[in-house]
């Protein structure tokens, strides 16, 4: 509710928490559009919470629940891991220029309020969804990788896993270089504001890309046969959601743009965002097919 109230105030024209020199004030229309979209996404959390806790939620079609929860996972997971890591970096004095850039963008209390709320939101939604999914679909991820039916994935899905791994090479390389401190391919504004917090976020993109591709390969090629089936499924779910949703969100934010050309993403940054979005969608498709096949198989056996 604090997040929604703050966004509504900004759309209405309030400058609460926004410094006078903030680039957010340069384009009020773009700010209203982006804030309106983020408000609609966060409002959906209220519906999800009701759906996961009310009896009628068990009658909702699987896809109608799984997709918004997947999106919520993708948007919240990098914040839940990245914000605490950034606080640790800042505590050791390694925040660098990115900390000053944040303060020029929004007042510091806004980040604390919003990100703390997101972390609480993610923990609550995650806990509710695990309990819900265990009761409704728990049979779909029981057992180990070697127990997975051979027909659950086929040559086409192994090809998708290979395609995802190949497409991941470019964004994986770029995010690794940026996390290591290389400035090539970054916009002038990003190079200026770069610091420890920026490197934390880039390192997280590397982790989520590796998680997505690892989950897809383990699942499609039945590798790590002694692993619980929930491991590759979990890696594919969280990894694909994080890279696809944040790749899409960053691409959308770059389209809205800012008045300062130095802050706009470069072509390489656009490629990184688009590449990771495609990787996430491919891995998500593999996971969705796997769940559909196991569900159909369980239905046939029970019939």
């Amino acid at each position: 509710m604090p997040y929604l109230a703050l966004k509504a105030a900004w759309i209405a024209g309030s400058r609460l928490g926004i410094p006078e020199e903030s680039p957010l004030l340069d384009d009020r229309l773009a700010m209203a559009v982006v804030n309106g979209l983020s408000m609609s996404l966060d409002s959906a959390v209220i519906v999800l919470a009701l759906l996961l806790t009310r009896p009628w939620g068990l009658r909702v079609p699987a896809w109608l629940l799984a997709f918004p929860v997947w999106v919520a996972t993708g948007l919240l997971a990098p914040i839940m891991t990245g914000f605490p890591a950034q606080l640790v970096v800042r505590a050791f004095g390694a925040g660098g220029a990115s900390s000053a850039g944040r303060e020029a963008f929004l007042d510091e209390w806004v980040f604390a309020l919003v990100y703390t709320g997101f972390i609480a939101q993610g923990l609550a939604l995650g806990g509710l969804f695990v309990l819900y999914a265990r009761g409704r679909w728990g049979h779909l991820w029981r057992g180990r990788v070697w127990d997975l039916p051979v027909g659950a994935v086929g040559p086409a899905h192994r090809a998708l896993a290979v395609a995802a791994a190949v497409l991941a090479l470019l964004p994986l390389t770029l995010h690794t270089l940026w996390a290591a401190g290389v400035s090539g391919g970054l916009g002038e504004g990003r190079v200026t504001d770069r610091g420890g917090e920026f490197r934390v976020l880039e390192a997280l993109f590397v982790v989520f890309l590796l998680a997505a591709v690892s989950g897809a390969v383990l699942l499609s090629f039945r590798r790590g046969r002694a692993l619980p089936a929930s491991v590759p499924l979990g890696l594919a779910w969280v990894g694909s959601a994080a890279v696809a949703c944040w790749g899409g969100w960053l691409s959308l934010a770059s389209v809205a743009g800012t008045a300062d050309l130095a802050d706009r993403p470069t072509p390489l940054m656009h490629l990184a965002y688009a590449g990771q979005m495609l990787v996430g969608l491919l891995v998500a498709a593999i996971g969705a097919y796997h769940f559909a096949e196991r569900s159909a198989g369980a239905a046939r056996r029970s019939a």
Side-chain angles (χ1 to χ4, degrees):
M1 296 307 296
Y3 177 84
L4 291 176
L6 188 61
K7 291 286 184 173
W10 287 345
I11 292 175
S14 172
R15 297 188 176 185
L16 179 66
I18 305 177
E20 289 294 332
E21 67 278 9
S22 174
L24 289 175
L25 301 175
D26 294 338
D27 191 339
R28 297 304 300 270
L29 177 59
M31 181 180 177
V33 170
V34 172
N35 283 324
L37 178 59
S38 59
M39 274 190 73
S40 65
L41 289 173
D42 207 58
S43 298
V45 171
I46 300 173
V47 179
L48 283 177
L50 291 173
L51 191 152
L52 293 172
T53 53
R54 305 305 300 164
W56 54 264
L58 294 171
R59 299 190 295 272
V60 172
W63 67 268
L64 192 58
L65 170 64
F67 178 70
V69 173
W70 179 79
V71 172
T73 301
L75 293 176
L76 292 174
I79 294 174
M80 295 173 66
T81 52
F83 186 58
Q86 287 180 326
L87 292 179
V88 172
V89 167
R90 295 187 71 183
F92 284 93
S98 57
S99 301
R102 280 163 42 116
E103 292 168 2
F105 190 70
L106 286 170
D107 290 341
E108 192 59 34
W109 65 265
V110 175
F111 290 99
L113 173 71
V114 171
Y115 288 164
T116 300
F118 280 160
I119 291 173
Q121 194 176 97
L123 291 173
L125 274 182
L128 287 173
F129 181 66
V130 167
L131 294 173
Y132 178 100
R134 182 184 297 168
R136 184 173 177 180
W137 302 304
H139 61 286
L140 299 181
W141 61 71
R142 292 196 182 104
R144 299 189 177 275
V145 172
W146 64 47
D147 298 323
L148 297 178
V150 176
V153 289
H157 302 92
R158 288 191 283 274
L160 285 180
V162 172
V166 173
L167 283 172
L169 290 176
L170 177 62
L172 189 62
T173 300
L174 290 174
H175 287 305
T176 300
L177 291 174
W178 294 335
V182 177
S183 60
L186 291 173
E188 181 182 340
R190 293 295 178 90
V191 173
T192 302
D193 294 338
R194 194 176 40 154
E197 296 178 40
F198 173 82
R199 295 186 184 185
V200 166
L201 292 179
E202 293 301 316
L204 280 176
F205 282 134
V206 172
V207 171
F208 284 120
L209 276 165
L210 291 175
V213 173
S214 298
V217 170
L218 289 172
L219 193 60
S220 300
F221 292 91
R222 293 162 61 88
R223 301 299 182 187
R225 296 168 63 83
L227 288 173
S230 57
V231 171
L233 289 171
L235 288 172
W237 176 279
V238 177
S240 69
V243 296
C245 293
W246 270 94
W249 180 255
L250 290 172
S251 296
L252 179 63
S254 68
V255 170
T258 65
D260 188 355
L261 290 175
D263 291 330
R264 294 184 181 178
T266 64
L268 271 180
M269 294 171 70
H270 280 298
L271 282 176
Y273 301 154
Q276 69 185 59
M277 184 168 56
L278 288 174
V279 170
L281 292 175
L282 288 175
V283 174
I286 295 171
Y289 180 84
H290 169 85
F291 279 121
E293 284 297 301
R294 291 205 76 180
S295 180
R300 287 192 294 267
R301 287 191 296 271
S302 62

